[in-house]
Amino acid sequence: MVLWLLSVGQKLLLWGVLGAVSLAGATLTLNLLQSVARYAWKWQQLRSLPTLEGAYPLLGHSLMIKPDARDFFQQLIRYTEEYRHLPLLTLWLGTIPLVVLYNAENVEVILSSSKQIDKSSMYKFLEPWLGLGLLTSTGNKWRSRRKMLTPTFHFTILEDFLDVMNEQATILVTKLEKHVNQEAFNCFFYITLCALDIICETAMGKNIGAQSNDDSEYVRAVYRVSDSIHRRMKAPWLWFDFLYFMFKDGQEYRKSLKILHNFTSNGHDTTAAAINSSLYLLGFYPEVQKKVDNELDEVFGKSDRPATLEDLKKLKYLECVIKESLRLFPSVPFFARSINEDCEIAGHKIVKDSQVIIVPYALHRDPRYFPNPEEFRPERFFPENSKGRHSYAYVPFSAGPRNCIGQKFAIMEEKTILSCILRHFWVESNQKREELGLAGELILRPTNGIWIKLKRRNTDES
């Protein structure tokens, strides 16, 4: 009897396992068929949109997309230049359509909408790092958090942050002193550490002394995580966690993520990129730097006192320099939205669940709104020259209901740091733009660094 029961039990177990495997297989097959059906329907709906040739079924353009951040960015910008005469361009990332926008009229359709506020599904890869915060959340959760955080950026609270900005800018200037009248050096890391100290002390009330520790493990971890996320976004076969973490990149990502979680859940700094690009451009265009120099003399004279809010308000030309720098080198080179209901762009129907990618780097180079777009001309942002310009032709902080909540903080920080540096030093830079090695990751990063020379300001030589 016992042997018979064991035999029956083994058979039942075997049949149970076979049944479970069959059920799992059937479920997987059904899900796969549903995905293929959705893909076929979406392709049919979007086939009238301008697209690149060479897409493969199910894989789309994935095999064409460059894995390296620098190569991919150059590839994307080349496409936007080549197809600028078209209102939009569609890329298929696996079975996911990406509608690329670089035209002010079409960008407005998405950014001005109170309905199309959901970030792209690609942002899910940021959640393990940043959590479900203001950047990554959607719908009602985003609305409630936006409402909660808005008072934090009120003008009177920002005024309290100015002391921190002045203090850290002064530390930065002290560190830069050793480079006066020396060979060119890479200033990118100096600025990044200063910006990191400022955001940590203002947002978290914690002084981490990043500028005192050049070999910051936290900063290096930020770069590694940012690079890993960017590579993963472009590779559909790495979207599945179980597969991604089998590879070395996924394992390194976990290690770096642990470092960030041990410190803070906050992320990458766009203000550092903006300050670096401003310094680079001022160093390359001495006639513009001289105008900034004159303005600093008018506001501060020969004093090296900390900047006040009233001082910052008077630095109108410097603000135009920052805006023009962000036009040429937007800190966030592209960002994406998920279409949560069918909409129409340039006469084309864009179906729900499509992904829209907006490319400020290309948008800001539309010659209709910015003649000779590669030329650095801060005067473009004088009030009389901005009049009549399309309000969505320039979106360095995004625009519409989901614009950057911290843009006043960013401009204030950039003015403070730049004015402090430029009151002490004259900047020279000889890098050509193609030598910067721009990479479009989570922020626009010069992979070759920003190399400048410093001279003492207000000397006969300078």
Coordinates of all heavy atoms in Angstrom, one line a residue, residues 206-247:
K206 N 23.0 69.4 5.2 CA 24.2 68.6 5.6 C 25.4 69.0 4.8 O 25.4 69.0 3.6 CB 23.9 67.1 5.3 CG 25.0 66.2 5.7 CD 24.6 64.7 5.5 CE 25.8 63.8 5.9 NZ 25.4 62.4 5.7
N207 N 26.4 69.4 5.5 CA 27.6 69.9 4.9 C 28.6 68.7 4.7 O 29.1 68.1 5.7 CB 28.3 70.9 5.7 CG 29.5 71.6 5.1 OD1 30.2 70.9 4.3 ND2 29.8 72.8 5.4
I208 N 28.8 68.2 3.4 CA 29.5 67.0 3.2 C 31.0 67.3 2.8 O 31.8 66.4 2.8 CB 28.9 66.2 2.1 CG1 28.9 66.9 0.8 CG2 27.5 65.7 2.5 CD1 28.6 66.1 -0.4
G209 N 31.3 68.6 2.6 CA 32.7 69.0 2.3 C 33.2 68.3 1.1 O 34.4 67.9 1.1
A210 N 32.4 68.2 0.0 CA 32.9 67.5 -1.2 C 34.1 68.3 -1.8 O 35.0 67.6 -2.4 CB 31.8 67.5 -2.2
Q211 N 34.1 69.6 -1.7 CA 35.3 70.3 -2.3 C 36.6 70.1 -1.5 O 37.6 70.3 -2.1 CB 35.0 71.8 -2.2 CG 33.8 72.3 -3.1 CD 33.8 73.8 -3.4 OE1 34.5 74.3 -4.2 NE2 33.0 74.5 -2.6
S212 N 36.5 69.6 -0.3 CA 37.7 69.3 0.5 C 38.1 67.8 0.2 O 39.2 67.4 0.7 CB 37.4 69.4 2.0 OG 36.9 70.7 2.3
N213 N 37.3 67.1 -0.5 CA 37.6 65.7 -0.8 C 37.5 65.5 -2.3 O 36.5 65.1 -2.8 CB 36.7 64.7 0.0 CG 36.9 63.3 -0.4 OD1 38.0 62.9 -0.9 ND2 35.9 62.4 -0.1
D214 N 38.7 65.7 -3.0 CA 38.7 65.6 -4.4 C 38.3 64.2 -5.0 O 37.7 64.1 -6.0 CB 40.1 66.0 -5.0 CG 40.4 67.4 -4.8 OD1 39.4 68.2 -4.5 OD2 41.5 67.8 -4.9
D215 N 38.6 63.2 -4.2 CA 38.3 61.8 -4.6 C 37.0 61.4 -4.0 O 36.9 60.4 -3.2 CB 39.5 60.9 -4.2 CG 39.3 59.5 -4.8 OD1 38.7 59.4 -5.9 OD2 39.7 58.5 -4.2
S216 N 35.9 62.1 -4.4 CA 34.6 61.8 -3.8 C 34.0 60.5 -4.3 O 33.7 60.4 -5.5 CB 33.7 63.0 -4.0 OG 32.4 62.6 -3.7
E217 N 33.9 59.5 -3.4 CA 33.3 58.2 -3.8 C 31.8 58.4 -4.3 O 31.4 57.8 -5.2 CB 33.3 57.3 -2.7 CG 32.8 55.9 -3.0 CD 32.8 54.9 -1.8 OE1 32.5 55.4 -0.7 OE2 33.2 53.8 -2.0
Y218 N 31.1 59.4 -3.7 CA 29.8 59.7 -4.0 C 29.6 60.2 -5.4 O 28.8 59.7 -6.2 CB 29.2 60.7 -3.0 CG 27.8 61.1 -3.4 CD1 26.7 60.3 -3.2 CD2 27.6 62.4 -4.0 CE1 25.4 60.8 -3.5 CE2 26.3 62.8 -4.4 CZ 25.2 62.0 -4.1 OH 24.0 62.4 -4.5
V219 N 30.5 61.2 -5.8 CA 30.5 61.7 -7.1 C 30.8 60.7 -8.2 O 30.1 60.6 -9.2 CB 31.4 62.9 -7.3 CG1 31.5 63.4 -8.7 CG2 31.0 64.1 -6.3
R220 N 31.8 59.8 -7.9 CA 32.1 58.8 -8.9 C 30.9 57.8 -9.1 O 30.7 57.3 -10.2 CB 33.4 58.1 -8.5 CG 34.6 58.9 -8.7 CD 35.9 58.1 -8.5 NE 36.2 58.1 -7.0 CZ 36.2 57.0 -6.3 NH1 35.8 55.9 -6.8 NH2 36.5 57.1 -5.0
A221 N 30.2 57.5 -8.0 CA 29.1 56.6 -8.0 C 27.9 57.2 -8.8 O 27.3 56.5 -9.6 CB 28.6 56.3 -6.6
V222 N 27.7 58.5 -8.7 CA 26.7 59.2 -9.5 C 27.0 59.1 -11.0 O 26.1 58.7 -11.7 CB 26.7 60.7 -9.1 CG1 25.8 61.5 -10.1 CG2 26.1 60.9 -7.7
Y223 N 28.2 59.3 -11.4 CA 28.6 59.1 -12.8 C 28.4 57.7 -13.3 O 27.9 57.5 -14.4 CB 30.1 59.5 -13.0 CG 30.3 61.0 -12.9 CD1 31.6 61.5 -12.6 CD2 29.3 62.0 -12.9 CE1 31.9 62.9 -12.5 CE2 29.6 63.3 -12.8 CZ 30.8 63.8 -12.6 OH 31.1 65.1 -12.4
R224 N 28.8 56.7 -12.5 CA 28.6 55.3 -12.9 C 27.2 54.9 -13.0 O 26.8 54.3 -14.0 CB 29.3 54.4 -11.9 CG 30.8 54.4 -12.0 CD 31.5 53.2 -11.3 NE 31.1 53.2 -9.9 CZ 31.9 53.7 -8.9 NH1 33.0 54.4 -9.2 NH2 31.5 53.6 -7.7
V225 N 26.3 55.3 -12.1 CA 24.9 55.0 -12.1 C 24.2 55.7 -13.3 O 23.4 55.1 -14.0 CB 24.2 55.4 -10.8 CG1 22.7 55.4 -10.9 CG2 24.6 54.4 -9.7
S226 N 24.5 57.0 -13.5 CA 24.0 57.7 -14.6 C 24.3 57.0 -16.0 O 23.4 56.9 -16.8 CB 24.5 59.1 -14.6 OG 24.1 59.9 -15.7
D227 N 25.6 56.6 -16.1 CA 26.0 56.0 -17.4 C 25.3 54.7 -17.6 O 24.9 54.3 -18.7 CB 27.5 55.8 -17.3 CG 28.1 55.3 -18.6 OD1 27.8 55.9 -19.7 OD2 28.8 54.2 -18.6
S228 N 25.2 53.9 -16.5 CA 24.5 52.6 -16.6 C 23.1 52.7 -17.0 O 22.6 51.9 -17.8 CB 24.6 51.8 -15.2 OG 26.0 51.5 -14.9
I229 N 22.3 53.6 -16.3 CA 20.9 53.8 -16.6 C 20.7 54.2 -18.1 O 19.9 53.7 -18.8 CB 20.3 54.9 -15.7 CG1 20.2 54.4 -14.3 CG2 18.9 55.3 -16.2 CD1 19.8 55.4 -13.3
H230 N 21.6 55.1 -18.6 CA 21.5 55.6 -19.9 C 21.7 54.5 -20.9 O 20.9 54.4 -21.9 CB 22.5 56.7 -20.2 CG 22.4 57.4 -21.5 ND1 23.2 57.0 -22.6 CD2 21.5 58.3 -22.0 CE1 22.9 57.7 -23.6 NE2 21.9 58.5 -23.3
R231 N 22.7 53.6 -20.7 CA 22.9 52.5 -21.6 C 21.8 51.5 -21.6 O 21.4 51.0 -22.6 CB 24.2 51.8 -21.2 CG 25.5 52.5 -21.6 CD 26.7 51.6 -21.6 NE 26.9 50.9 -20.4 CZ 27.6 51.4 -19.4 NH1 28.2 52.5 -19.5 NH2 27.8 50.7 -18.3
R232 N 21.2 51.3 -20.4 CA 20.1 50.3 -20.3 C 18.8 50.8 -21.0 O 18.1 50.0 -21.6 CB 19.8 50.1 -18.8 CG 18.8 48.9 -18.5 CD 18.6 48.7 -17.1 NE 17.7 47.6 -16.9 CZ 17.2 47.3 -15.7 NH1 17.3 48.1 -14.6 NH2 16.4 46.2 -15.6
M233 N 18.6 52.1 -20.9 CA 17.4 52.7 -21.6 C 17.4 52.4 -23.1 O 16.3 52.2 -23.7 CB 17.3 54.2 -21.4 CG 16.9 54.7 -20.0 SD 17.0 56.5 -19.9 CE 16.1 56.7 -18.3
K234 N 18.6 52.3 -23.7 CA 18.6 52.1 -25.1 C 18.7 50.7 -25.6 O 18.7 50.4 -26.8 CB 19.9 52.9 -25.7 CG 19.8 54.4 -25.5 CD 21.1 55.0 -26.0 CE 22.3 54.5 -25.2 NZ 23.5 55.2 -25.6
A235 N 18.7 49.7 -24.6 CA 18.9 48.3 -24.9 C 17.7 47.5 -24.4 O 17.6 47.1 -23.3 CB 20.2 47.8 -24.3
P236 N 16.6 47.3 -25.3 CA 15.4 46.6 -24.8 C 15.7 45.3 -24.2 O 14.9 44.9 -23.3 CB 14.6 46.5 -26.1 CG 15.1 47.5 -27.0 CD 16.6 47.7 -26.7
W237 N 16.7 44.6 -24.6 CA 17.0 43.2 -24.0 C 17.5 43.3 -22.6 O 17.6 42.3 -21.9 CB 18.0 42.5 -24.9 CG 19.2 43.3 -25.2 CD1 20.4 43.3 -24.6 CD2 19.4 44.1 -26.4 NE1 21.3 44.2 -25.2 CE2 20.7 44.7 -26.3 CE3 18.6 44.5 -27.4 CZ2 21.2 45.6 -27.3 CZ3 19.1 45.4 -28.4 CH2 20.3 45.9 -28.3
L238 N 17.9 44.5 -22.1 CA 18.3 44.7 -20.7 C 17.2 45.3 -19.9 O 17.5 45.7 -18.7 CB 19.6 45.6 -20.7 CG 20.8 45.0 -21.4 CD1 22.0 46.0 -21.3 CD2 21.2 43.7 -20.7
W239 N 16.0 45.4 -20.4 CA 14.9 46.0 -19.6 C 14.4 45.1 -18.5 O 13.7 45.5 -17.6 CB 13.8 46.5 -20.5 CG 14.1 47.6 -21.4 CD1 15.2 48.4 -21.4 CD2 13.3 48.1 -22.5 NE1 15.2 49.3 -22.3 CE2 14.0 49.2 -23.0 CE3 12.1 47.8 -23.0 CZ2 13.6 50.0 -24.1 CZ3 11.6 48.6 -24.1 CH2 12.3 49.6 -24.6
F240 N 14.7 43.8 -18.7 CA 14.2 42.8 -17.7 C 15.3 42.7 -16.6 O 16.5 42.3 -16.8 CB 14.0 41.4 -18.4 CG 13.1 41.5 -19.5 CD1 13.5 41.5 -20.8 CD2 11.7 41.5 -19.3 CE1 12.6 41.6 -21.9 CE2 10.8 41.5 -20.3 CZ 11.2 41.6 -21.6
D241 N 14.9 42.9 -15.3 CA 15.9 43.0 -14.2 C 16.7 41.7 -14.1 O 17.9 41.7 -13.9 CB 15.1 43.2 -12.9 CG 14.7 44.7 -12.8 OD1 15.1 45.5 -13.6 OD2 13.8 45.0 -11.9
F242 N 16.0 40.5 -14.2 CA 16.7 39.3 -14.0 C 17.8 39.1 -15.0 O 18.9 38.5 -14.6 CB 15.7 38.1 -14.0 CG 15.3 37.7 -15.4 CD1 16.0 36.7 -16.1 CD2 14.2 38.3 -16.0 CE1 15.6 36.4 -17.4 CE2 13.8 38.0 -17.3 CZ 14.5 37.0 -18.0
L243 N 17.6 39.6 -16.2 CA 18.7 39.5 -17.2 C 19.7 40.5 -17.0 O 20.9 40.2 -17.1 CB 18.0 39.6 -18.6 CG 18.9 39.4 -19.8 CD1 19.5 37.9 -19.8 CD2 18.2 39.7 -21.1
Y244 N 19.3 41.8 -16.7 CA 20.3 42.9 -16.6 C 21.3 42.6 -15.5 O 22.5 42.8 -15.6 CB 19.5 44.2 -16.3 CG 20.4 45.4 -16.1 CD1 21.3 45.8 -17.1 CD2 20.4 46.0 -14.8 CE1 22.1 46.9 -16.9 CE2 21.3 47.1 -14.6 CZ 22.1 47.6 -15.7 OH 22.9 48.7 -15.5
F245 N 20.8 42.0 -14.3 CA 21.7 41.9 -13.2 C 22.6 40.6 -13.3 O 23.4 40.3 -12.4 CB 20.9 41.8 -11.9 CG 20.3 43.2 -11.6 CD1 18.9 43.4 -11.6 CD2 21.1 44.3 -11.3 CE1 18.4 44.6 -11.3 CE2 20.6 45.5 -11.0 CZ 19.3 45.7 -11.0
M246 N 22.4 39.9 -14.4 CA 23.3 38.8 -14.7 C 24.6 39.3 -15.3 O 25.7 38.6 -15.3 CB 22.7 37.8 -15.6 CG 21.6 37.0 -15.0 SD 20.7 36.0 -16.2 CE 22.0 34.9 -16.9
F247 N 24.6 40.5 -15.9 CA 25.7 41.1 -16.6 C 26.6 41.9 -15.6 O 26.1 42.4 -14.6 CB 25.3 41.9 -17.8 CG 24.7 41.1 -18.9 CD1 23.4 40.8 -19.0 CD2 25.6 40.6 -19.9 CE1 22.9 40.1 -20.0 CE2 25.1 39.8 -20.9 CZ 23.7 39.6 -21.0

